[in-house]
Amino acid sequence: MPSLYFPGGGFGFWYLLGIYIKLRDTVSNFHDYQIIGCSAGSLICLVSLLKEEYLNLYFLVVLFQESLQEQRQLLNIHTLVSKLFEL
């Protein structure tokens, strides 16, 4: 099984997300790939498990806003990841 590696990148997550979506939409056998990554790349792995309807900017903004309201202080990535796992 071929692998795709997404490296760490902090806020580069958004860039990696764009690459992931482009590959998913253009590579015919994309579902045959094993997706691996670390740091921001591991979040790409998590996003790859979501249904396609959740992969849009509107959904991510709503997720961010809900997490921010629940936490009522500085938002950290742990809160966002927890919200993704709930899905």
Side-chain angles (χ1 to χ4, degrees), residues 22-64:
K22 180 69 174 177
L23 288 172
R24 185 198 66 197
D25 293 345
T26 58
V27 176
S28 61
N29 63 341
F30 186 72
H31 296 293
D32 295 336
Y33 282 82
Q34 177 183 18
I35 300 174
I36 54 177
C38 68
S39 189
S42 64
L43 292 178
I44 297 298
C45 296
L46 178 61
V47 166
S48 74
L49 299 174
L50 295 174
K51 295 178 182 177
E52 288 189 28
E53 63 207 48
Y54 294 129
L55 289 179
N56 59 59
L57 187 57
Y58 175 76
F59 167 74
L60 294 172
V61 168
V62 168
L63 182 70
F64 174 80

Side-chain angles (χ1 to χ4, degrees), residues 1 13 18 24 30 34 43 50 59 65-67 69 83:
M1 172 184 293
F13 165 78
R24 185 198 66 197
F30 186 72
Q34 177 183 18
L43 292 178
L50 295 174
F59 167 74
Q65 289 173 337
E66 288 177 2
S67 299
Q69 287 174 354
K83 287 293 240 183

Side-chain angles (χ1 to χ4, degrees), residues 71 75-85:
Q71 195 164 3
L75 184 64
N76 62 36
I77 198 70
H78 174 73
T79 308
L80 289 173
V81 171
S82 296
K83 287 293 240 183
L84 285 173
F85 273 117

